[in-house]
């Protein structure tokens, strides 16, 4: 028991130091290691498998909506960034440059991809000639580099993995339909796959993507009350089409500029799901994304071990056949108690216990990582009971996360009221905003919070600006963020 207690103590409680808890969990759960390059991490198999499950599900959704995958170069000529002024100004502080290669100085600097609008814009200008070439619906799975001053594993790293969709359309209406469709794909994915409730809305002008006409986002609340921007979708208008000469002959045989969009999510989602669902015992992984959904642990004295393991192997095969991601831990050199703690810490949704008495009674014990409740089920119903419990756990996780968000999401009328809220509690505030940059900046300077988005369906509409008291043009969600 002493070893088991010490094992648990290696995770700092959330209430003591949330940032320390986060680092403890991701290291103890073996999701990543720090690399020798500042701000970069190594994804260990369990961490990378979470990303693979995210990737697999999203890739399927993208293809269902008509998108195809392609791949574009990592290196982007400097001249490409000069073509869209607002875009280069937005990314310039984070750009790493290659100036020398093969022992020779390059004639033109090459940026290491921070995002691909410029490269893809260049290629689209060659590929698109007629309205018959539209819409062009492309997605890329790739890595990008942004030279961040402050980094945090998964949430903000110098190099990270993501997908970036880039589409071109005949007109604004079709491009905006695409923008909103992909935003809803992200919302559904966050809620139905990751069990994360999100606030869907439009970014304010100061927070929108560099070079976009409009940016839309889904915002999630972590257990420390901070926000993570969990996905964005951008309507780019004809800005990049004009900059990169993406023209086509329309149905009246006239040249027109294409309307483009871009949208993306990244490995930041891994950090978000850890911070939304984790507890003082470690990870709590949503069943649909968990690398291992069920861990099976044989229990009993050595004399019955072979018989119990034999039955565990049979039940294991049944779960595998049903498509459940399941593993067996039949190691004899670790106690059942140690294993229980180990897999709780790793966030495995269901633990299955089977001992000699269970064998006699024809039952098996299921234990939920979320509730901790034990359920005794008939072995004949085993597969169906596991599938039912996985579905229940997902819903419980979503409901629990939503309840936490709702309890830490208030409406305020003034900036002083917002400051008091942040000092005494934590979370998001819904407030009126007059639309001026000055008032938005004052909120950031006085509270450390930024506008997260202008929600499509606010719980209430505010009539006055929280800073100046003038009539509000928008009702905005404010919060501190990662």
């Amino acid at each position: 028991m002493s070893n088991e207690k010490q094992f648990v103590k290696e995770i700092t409680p959330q209430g003591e130091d949330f940032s320390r808890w986060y680092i403890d969990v991701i290291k103890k759960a073996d999701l990543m290691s720090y690399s020798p390059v500042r701000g970069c991490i190594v994804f260990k198999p369990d961490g990378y498998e979470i990303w693979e499950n995210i990737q697999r599900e999203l890739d399927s959704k993208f293809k269902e909506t008509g998108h195809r995958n392609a791949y574009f170069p990592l290196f982007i000529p400097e001249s490409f960034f000069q073509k869209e002024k607002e875009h280069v100004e937005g990314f310039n502080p984070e750009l790493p440059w290659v100036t020398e290669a093969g022992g020779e100085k390059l004639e033109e600097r090459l940026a290491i991809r921070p995002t691909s609008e410029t490269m893809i814009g260049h290629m689209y200008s060659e590929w698109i000639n007629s309205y018959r070439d539209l819409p062009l619906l492309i997605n890329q799975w790739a890595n990008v580099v942004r030279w961040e001053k402050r980094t945090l594993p998964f949430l903000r790293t110098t190099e990270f993995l993501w997908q970036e969709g880039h589409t071109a359309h005949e007109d604004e209406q079709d491009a905006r339909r695409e923008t909103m469709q992909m935003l809803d794909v992200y919302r559904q994915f966050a809620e139905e796959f990751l069990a994360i409730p999100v606030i869907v809305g439009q970014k304010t002008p100061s927070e929108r993507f560099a070079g976009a006409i409009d940016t839309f986002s889904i915002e999630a609340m972590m257990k420390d009350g901070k926000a993570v921007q969990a996905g964005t979708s951008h309507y780019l208008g004809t800005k990049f089409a004009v900059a990169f000469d993406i023209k086509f002959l329309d149905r009246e045989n006239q040249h027109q500029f294409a309307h483009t969009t871009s949208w993306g999510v990244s490995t930041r989602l891994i950090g978000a799901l850890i911070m939304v669902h984790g507890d003082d015992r470690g990870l709590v992984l949503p069943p649909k994304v968990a690398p291992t959904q069920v861990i099976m642990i044989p229990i009993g004295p050595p004399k019955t071990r072979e018989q119990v393991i034999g039955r565990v192997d049979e039940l294991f095969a049944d779960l595998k056949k049903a498509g459940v991601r399941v593993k067996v831990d039949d190691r004899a050199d670790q106690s059942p108690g140690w294993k229980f703690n180990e897999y709780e810490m790793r966030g495995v949704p269901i633990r299955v216990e089977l001992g000699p008495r269970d064998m006699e009674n024809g039952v098996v014990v299921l234990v939920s990582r979320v509730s901790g409740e034990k359920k005794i089920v008939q072995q004949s119903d085993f597969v169906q009971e596991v599938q039912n419990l996985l579905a229940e756990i997902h819903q419980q996780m979503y409901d629990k996360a939503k309840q936490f968000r709702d309890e830490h999401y208030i409406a305020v009328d003034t900036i002083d009221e917002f400051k008091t809220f942040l000092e005494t509690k934590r979370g998001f505030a819904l407030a009126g905003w007059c639309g001026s940059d000055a008032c938005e900046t004052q909120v950031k300077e006085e509270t450390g919070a930024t506008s997260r988005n202008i929600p499509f369906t606010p719980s209430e509409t505010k009539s006055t600006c929280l800073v100046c008291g003038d009539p509000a043009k928008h009702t905005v969600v404010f919060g501190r963020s990662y």
Side-chain angles (χ1 to χ4, degrees), residues 240-437:
F240 285 88
V242 170
F244 290 91
D245 201 33
I246 309 173
K247 287 182 179 178
F248 66 96
L249 281 173
D250 67 13
R251 298 167 193 271
E252 279 73 47
N253 214 33
Q254 300 294 314
H255 275 107
Q256 303 290 347
F257 286 109
H259 290 252
T260 64
T261 79
S262 66
W263 31 272
V265 299
S266 74
T267 40
R268 174 180 291 186
L269 288 174
I270 298 175
L273 69 89
I274 294 167
M275 285 189 170
V276 168
H277 299 302
D279 60 24
D280 285 346
R281 300 197 306 278
L283 290 179
V284 182
L285 293 176
K288 295 178 184 178
V289 78
T292 301
Q293 295 172 311
V294 176
I295 183 66
M296 303 186 71
I297 301 176
I299 298 172
K303 63 181 180 179
T304 62
R305 181 174 176 78
E306 187 174 336
Q307 184 182 8
V308 170
I309 290 176
R311 183 57 179 145
V312 165
D313 288 343
E314 292 173 353
L315 295 172
F316 168 86
D318 291 341
L319 283 182
K320 289 287 284 187
K321 187 177 179 180
V324 176
R325 295 188 292 275
V326 56
K327 290 183 179 179
V328 174
D329 189 339
D330 58 3
R331 292 175 294 173
D333 60 343
Q334 295 289 0
S335 71
W338 188 93
K339 294 176 185 178
F340 295 169
N341 283 326
E342 170 81 356
Y343 295 107
E344 276 197 350
M345 183 275 299
R346 290 180 178 270
V348 177
I350 297 176
R351 182 175 78 241
V352 174
E353 303 171 12
L354 184 69
R357 186 174 296 177
D358 302 316
M359 293 274 290
E360 292 174 11
N361 297 329
V363 298
V364 66
V365 178
L366 308 184
V367 184
S368 166
R369 172 63 178 87
V370 173
S371 68
E373 294 177 1
K374 289 191 174 185
K375 185 177 184 181
I376 299 173
V377 303
Q378 296 297 315
Q379 291 181 21
S380 57
D381 301 327
F382 177 59
V383 173
Q384 188 60 56
E385 290 283 1
V386 166
Q387 292 173 327
N388 291 345
L389 184 54
L390 288 171
E392 288 175 19
I393 288 172
H394 173 91
Q395 190 60 49
Q396 288 169 355
M397 291 180 69
Y398 178 83
D399 292 344
K400 192 173 182 179
K402 188 174 185 301
Q403 181 180 350
F404 178 88
R405 189 194 68 185
D406 291 347
E407 290 172 351
H408 295 80
Y409 183 18
I410 69 165
V412 299
D413 294 316
T414 67
I415 192 170
D416 288 336
E417 191 179 345
F418 184 28
K419 285 191 283 189
T420 300
F421 167 69
L422 291 175
E423 290 167 2
T424 57
K425 213 169 180 181
R426 61 188 187 278
F428 297 168
L430 192 68
W433 174 54
C434 64
S436 77
D437 290 341

